[in-house]
Amino acid sequence: MPWIYAVVGLLVGAIIGVIISRLTTPQYKKQKTIQKDLEAAKFALEQQRQELSDHFAQTAEMLDTLGKDYTKLYQHMAKTSSEFLPNLPEQDNPFFKKIAEHNEVIESNAIEAAEGDASTQPKDYANGATGLLREEVKESVEGPEAVNQEPVTQEPIAAKAS
């Protein structure tokens, strides 16, 4: 029975010795300071990223406001130029052409927004897999007028090679 006490005492002493040596070694202290520095650097980096994100968000808002103010100023100049110079021909009015172009752009943007993403799909694509390595023949659709055309079929590559 006394040998069990000796083994338990040896294990407890070894564990206490390892803990004391870990706490007193300079490498452990260096590791802890490096770990603290790493955490501080990570925090500073995250804080800087947040500040940068806030800066870009604020800049985007300011640019949006600037664009709207510029548009309002331009529209005001166009309106007042036609009011103050009513006898000026349209081709001599520097704002007339730009207003017409601006109105066309606004109308085309409104039409595109109303149509949605359906108009942005590609106009020429194959229905299903192309079957390049198979003997299958797939029909392909080309252009917007392909809806009214006869289906176009493709020959398989293997048939061309033989």
Side-chain angles (χ1 to χ4, degrees):
M1 190 75 163
W3 58 273
I4 294 178
Y5 294 126
V7 170
V8 170
L10 182 65
L11 288 176
V12 170
I15 292 173
I16 291 174
V18 168
I19 291 173
I20 290 174
S21 67
R22 294 270 293 166
L23 293 176
T24 59
T25 58
Q27 292 172 348
Y28 183 73
K29 291 178 182 177
K30 184 178 177 182
Q31 180 184 1
K32 284 294 186 184
T33 58
I34 289 174
Q35 184 70 25
K36 287 179 183 178
D37 292 343
L38 177 64
E39 294 296 325
K42 283 182 179 180
F43 178 75
L45 179 63
E46 188 60 36
Q47 189 175 15
Q48 188 177 24
R49 284 183 180 166
Q50 184 62 40
E51 289 174 4
L52 188 62
S53 176
D54 293 343
H55 168 74
F56 283 133
Q58 184 181 10
T59 303
E61 289 177 17
M62 293 169 81
L63 284 173
D64 186 44
T65 303
L66 179 66
K68 289 177 182 177
D69 289 344
Y70 178 74
T71 303
K72 284 173 41 177
L73 175 66
Y74 194 83
Q75 290 172 349
H76 172 73
M77 292 295 291
K79 179 182 173 188
T80 56
S81 70
S82 63
E83 289 176 3
F84 290 138
L85 301 171
N87 297 332
L88 186 67
E90 290 179 356
Q91 66 270 12
D92 291 340
N93 188 343
F95 297 103
F96 182 74
K97 187 189 299 183
K98 295 288 184 180
I99 289 176
E101 290 174 4
H102 180 69
N103 289 339
E104 288 175 7
V105 168
I106 290 174
E107 289 174 7
S108 66
N109 288 344
I111 291 171
E112 288 176 6
E115 289 176 356
D117 290 333
S119 65
T120 60
Q121 293 180 354
K123 299 299 182 193
D124 54 2
Y125 53 89
N127 288 337
T130 59
L132 291 176
L133 302 176
R134 292 189 232 157
E135 295 294 324
E136 286 182 38
V137 177
K138 298 285 183 180
E139 70 179 67
S140 62
V141 179
E142 296 178 8
E145 57 276 335
V147 176
N148 298 328
Q149 293 180 353
E150 296 287 323
V152 177
T153 57
Q154 298 176 347
E155 295 181 24
I157 293 177
K160 287 183 180 179
S162 46

PDB file of all heavy atoms in Angstrom, residues 13-14 20 23 25 43-44 46 66 98 103 107 119 123 148 154-155:
ATOM      1  N   GLY A  13       3.532  15.597  -7.747  1.00  0.00           N
ATOM      2  CA  GLY A  13       4.741  16.412  -7.795  1.00  0.00           C
ATOM      3  C   GLY A  13       5.146  16.758  -9.219  1.00  0.00           C
ATOM      4  O   GLY A  13       5.586  17.873  -9.503  1.00  0.00           O
ATOM      5  N   ALA A  14       5.001  15.793 -10.146  1.00  0.00           N
ATOM      6  CA  ALA A  14       5.353  16.044 -11.544  1.00  0.00           C
ATOM      7  C   ALA A  14       4.418  17.094 -12.146  1.00  0.00           C
ATOM      8  O   ALA A  14       4.860  18.004 -12.871  1.00  0.00           O
ATOM      9  CB  ALA A  14       5.292  14.748 -12.337  1.00  0.00           C
ATOM     10  N   ILE A  20       4.730  24.890 -12.505  1.00  0.00           N
ATOM     11  CA  ILE A  20       5.661  25.924 -12.032  1.00  0.00           C
ATOM     12  C   ILE A  20       6.694  26.253 -13.100  1.00  0.00           C
ATOM     13  O   ILE A  20       7.022  27.415 -13.330  1.00  0.00           O
ATOM     14  CB  ILE A  20       6.341  25.467 -10.712  1.00  0.00           C
ATOM     15  CG1 ILE A  20       5.310  25.469  -9.588  1.00  0.00           C
ATOM     16  CG2 ILE A  20       7.514  26.373 -10.358  1.00  0.00           C
ATOM     17  CD1 ILE A  20       5.823  24.905  -8.287  1.00  0.00           C
ATOM     18  N   LEU A  23       5.160  28.480 -15.807  1.00  0.00           N
ATOM     19  CA  LEU A  23       4.927  29.850 -15.377  1.00  0.00           C
ATOM     20  C   LEU A  23       6.220  30.650 -15.233  1.00  0.00           C
ATOM     21  O   LEU A  23       6.213  31.865 -15.371  1.00  0.00           O
ATOM     22  CB  LEU A  23       4.150  29.871 -14.054  1.00  0.00           C
ATOM     23  CG  LEU A  23       2.711  29.349 -14.118  1.00  0.00           C
ATOM     24  CD1 LEU A  23       2.098  29.336 -12.718  1.00  0.00           C
ATOM     25  CD2 LEU A  23       1.867  30.201 -15.051  1.00  0.00           C
ATOM     26  N   THR A  25       9.212  30.045 -16.967  1.00  0.00           N
ATOM     27  CA  THR A  25      10.096  30.081 -18.140  1.00  0.00           C
ATOM     28  C   THR A  25       9.863  31.347 -18.949  1.00  0.00           C
ATOM     29  O   THR A  25       8.730  31.822 -19.095  1.00  0.00           O
ATOM     30  CB  THR A  25       9.877  28.858 -19.054  1.00  0.00           C
ATOM     31  OG1 THR A  25       8.518  28.825 -19.449  1.00  0.00           O
ATOM     32  CG2 THR A  25      10.255  27.572 -18.361  1.00  0.00           C
ATOM     33  N   PHE A  43      -7.722  43.628 -32.824  1.00  0.00           N
ATOM     34  CA  PHE A  43      -8.748  44.599 -32.444  1.00  0.00           C
ATOM     35  C   PHE A  43      -8.552  45.916 -33.204  1.00  0.00           C
ATOM     36  O   PHE A  43      -9.506  46.495 -33.718  1.00  0.00           O
ATOM     37  CB  PHE A  43      -8.712  44.844 -30.933  1.00  0.00           C
ATOM     38  CG  PHE A  43      -9.702  45.863 -30.468  1.00  0.00           C
ATOM     39  CD1 PHE A  43     -11.049  45.552 -30.392  1.00  0.00           C
ATOM     40  CD2 PHE A  43      -9.304  47.149 -30.120  1.00  0.00           C
ATOM     41  CE1 PHE A  43     -11.985  46.488 -29.978  1.00  0.00           C
ATOM     42  CE2 PHE A  43     -10.220  48.097 -29.702  1.00  0.00           C
ATOM     43  CZ  PHE A  43     -11.562  47.773 -29.627  1.00  0.00           C
ATOM     44  N   ALA A  44      -7.295  46.384 -33.284  1.00  0.00           N
ATOM     45  CA  ALA A  44      -7.002  47.636 -33.994  1.00  0.00           C
ATOM     46  C   ALA A  44      -7.330  47.502 -35.478  1.00  0.00           C
ATOM     47  O   ALA A  44      -7.874  48.432 -36.090  1.00  0.00           O
ATOM     48  CB  ALA A  44      -5.546  48.022 -33.807  1.00  0.00           C
ATOM     49  N   GLU A  46      -9.560  45.450 -36.868  1.00  0.00           N
ATOM     50  CA  GLU A  46     -11.025  45.420 -37.024  1.00  0.00           C
ATOM     51  C   GLU A  46     -11.622  46.811 -36.850  1.00  0.00           C
ATOM     52  O   GLU A  46     -12.534  47.205 -37.580  1.00  0.00           O
ATOM     53  CB  GLU A  46     -11.648  44.442 -36.021  1.00  0.00           C
ATOM     54  CG  GLU A  46     -13.118  44.209 -36.226  1.00  0.00           C
ATOM     55  CD  GLU A  46     -13.438  43.628 -37.587  1.00  0.00           C
ATOM     56  OE1 GLU A  46     -12.676  42.818 -38.118  1.00  0.00           O
ATOM     57  OE2 GLU A  46     -14.493  44.024 -38.147  1.00  0.00           O
ATOM     58  N   LEU A  66     -24.280  65.101 -53.823  1.00  0.00           N
ATOM     59  CA  LEU A  66     -23.644  66.007 -54.778  1.00  0.00           C
ATOM     60  C   LEU A  66     -24.227  65.819 -56.176  1.00  0.00           C
ATOM     61  O   LEU A  66     -24.527  66.795 -56.869  1.00  0.00           O
ATOM     62  CB  LEU A  66     -22.130  65.769 -54.804  1.00  0.00           C
ATOM     63  CG  LEU A  66     -21.317  66.624 -55.765  1.00  0.00           C
ATOM     64  CD1 LEU A  66     -21.374  68.085 -55.336  1.00  0.00           C
ATOM     65  CD2 LEU A  66     -19.885  66.132 -55.822  1.00  0.00           C
ATOM     66  N   LYS A  98     -29.008  69.010 -73.715  1.00  0.00           N
ATOM     67  CA  LYS A  98     -28.671  68.178 -72.553  1.00  0.00           C
ATOM     68  C   LYS A  98     -29.920  67.756 -71.790  1.00  0.00           C
ATOM     69  O   LYS A  98     -30.010  66.642 -71.296  1.00  0.00           O
ATOM     70  CB  LYS A  98     -27.715  68.921 -71.610  1.00  0.00           C
ATOM     71  CG  LYS A  98     -26.378  69.207 -72.210  1.00  0.00           C
ATOM     72  CD  LYS A  98     -25.574  67.954 -72.344  1.00  0.00           C
ATOM     73  CE  LYS A  98     -24.178  68.303 -72.858  1.00  0.00           C
ATOM     74  NZ  LYS A  98     -23.348  67.142 -73.010  1.00  0.00           N
ATOM     75  N   ASN A 103     -33.617  63.551 -70.211  1.00  0.00           N
ATOM     76  CA  ASN A 103     -34.974  63.000 -70.114  1.00  0.00           C
ATOM     77  C   ASN A 103     -35.061  61.640 -70.799  1.00  0.00           C
ATOM     78  O   ASN A 103     -35.739  60.741 -70.316  1.00  0.00           O
ATOM     79  CB  ASN A 103     -35.988  63.972 -70.705  1.00  0.00           C
ATOM     80  CG  ASN A 103     -36.174  65.197 -69.827  1.00  0.00           C
ATOM     81  OD1 ASN A 103     -35.868  65.171 -68.644  1.00  0.00           O
ATOM     82  ND2 ASN A 103     -36.671  66.272 -70.414  1.00  0.00           N
ATOM     83  N   GLU A 107     -36.052  58.112 -68.978  1.00  0.00           N
ATOM     84  CA  GLU A 107     -37.135  57.269 -69.478  1.00  0.00           C
ATOM     85  C   GLU A 107     -36.638  55.859 -69.784  1.00  0.00           C
ATOM     86  O   GLU A 107     -37.303  54.880 -69.465  1.00  0.00           O
ATOM     87  CB  GLU A 107     -37.748  57.905 -70.723  1.00  0.00           C
ATOM     88  CG  GLU A 107     -38.559  59.155 -70.441  1.00  0.00           C
ATOM     89  CD  GLU A 107     -39.038  59.849 -71.709  1.00  0.00           C
ATOM     90  OE1 GLU A 107     -38.854  59.277 -72.802  1.00  0.00           O
ATOM     91  OE2 GLU A 107     -39.603  60.931 -71.590  1.00  0.00           O
ATOM     92  N   SER A 119     -34.839  40.964 -69.169  1.00  0.00           N
ATOM     93  CA  SER A 119     -34.225  41.512 -70.380  1.00  0.00           C
ATOM     94  C   SER A 119     -32.717  41.353 -70.375  1.00  0.00           C
ATOM     95  O   SER A 119     -32.088  41.543 -71.406  1.00  0.00           O
ATOM     96  CB  SER A 119     -34.586  42.990 -70.523  1.00  0.00           C
ATOM     97  OG  SER A 119     -34.017  43.718 -69.456  1.00  0.00           O
ATOM     98  N   LYS A 123     -29.168  36.210 -75.249  1.00  0.00           N
ATOM     99  CA  LYS A 123     -30.099  35.969 -76.343  1.00  0.00           C
ATOM    100  C   LYS A 123     -29.751  34.720 -77.148  1.00  0.00           C
ATOM    101  O   LYS A 123     -30.540  34.244 -77.929  1.00  0.00           O
ATOM    102  CB  LYS A 123     -30.128  37.188 -77.280  1.00  0.00           C
ATOM    103  CG  LYS A 123     -30.590  38.450 -76.579  1.00  0.00           C
ATOM    104  CD  LYS A 123     -31.980  38.314 -76.055  1.00  0.00           C
ATOM    105  CE  LYS A 123     -32.425  39.602 -75.397  1.00  0.00           C
ATOM    106  NZ  LYS A 123     -33.604  39.479 -74.635  1.00  0.00           N
ATOM    107  N   ASN A 148     -39.358  32.844 -83.638  1.00  0.00           N
ATOM    108  CA  ASN A 148     -40.207  32.659 -84.809  1.00  0.00           C
ATOM    109  C   ASN A 148     -39.547  31.797 -85.886  1.00  0.00           C
ATOM    110  O   ASN A 148     -40.146  31.528 -86.912  1.00  0.00           O
ATOM    111  CB  ASN A 148     -40.564  34.012 -85.416  1.00  0.00           C
ATOM    112  CG  ASN A 148     -41.345  34.867 -84.439  1.00  0.00           C
ATOM    113  OD1 ASN A 148     -42.086  34.347 -83.628  1.00  0.00           O
ATOM    114  ND2 ASN A 148     -41.155  36.167 -84.503  1.00  0.00           N
ATOM    115  N   GLN A 154     -27.655  20.900 -84.520  1.00  0.00           N
ATOM    116  CA  GLN A 154     -26.220  20.804 -84.714  1.00  0.00           C
ATOM    117  C   GLN A 154     -25.853  19.346 -84.882  1.00  0.00           C
ATOM    118  O   GLN A 154     -26.398  18.476 -84.229  1.00  0.00           O
ATOM    119  CB  GLN A 154     -25.473  21.357 -83.485  1.00  0.00           C
ATOM    120  CG  GLN A 154     -25.739  22.818 -83.236  1.00  0.00           C
ATOM    121  CD  GLN A 154     -25.047  23.257 -81.938  1.00  0.00           C
ATOM    122  OE1 GLN A 154     -24.599  22.447 -81.153  1.00  0.00           O
ATOM    123  NE2 GLN A 154     -24.972  24.564 -81.757  1.00  0.00           N
ATOM    124  N   GLU A 155     -24.866  19.102 -85.763  1.00  0.00           N
ATOM    125  CA  GLU A 155     -24.370  17.747 -85.924  1.00  0.00           C
ATOM    126  C   GLU A 155     -23.399  17.434 -84.809  1.00  0.00           C
ATOM    127  O   GLU A 155     -22.642  18.300 -84.408  1.00  0.00           O
ATOM    128  CB  GLU A 155     -23.642  17.614 -87.271  1.00  0.00           C
ATOM    129  CG  GLU A 155     -24.530  17.795 -88.468  1.00  0.00           C
ATOM    130  CD  GLU A 155     -23.738  17.618 -89.754  1.00  0.00           C
ATOM    131  OE1 GLU A 155     -22.708  16.942 -89.723  1.00  0.00           O
ATOM    132  OE2 GLU A 155     -24.154  18.170 -90.762  1.00  0.00           O
TER     133      GLU A 155
END
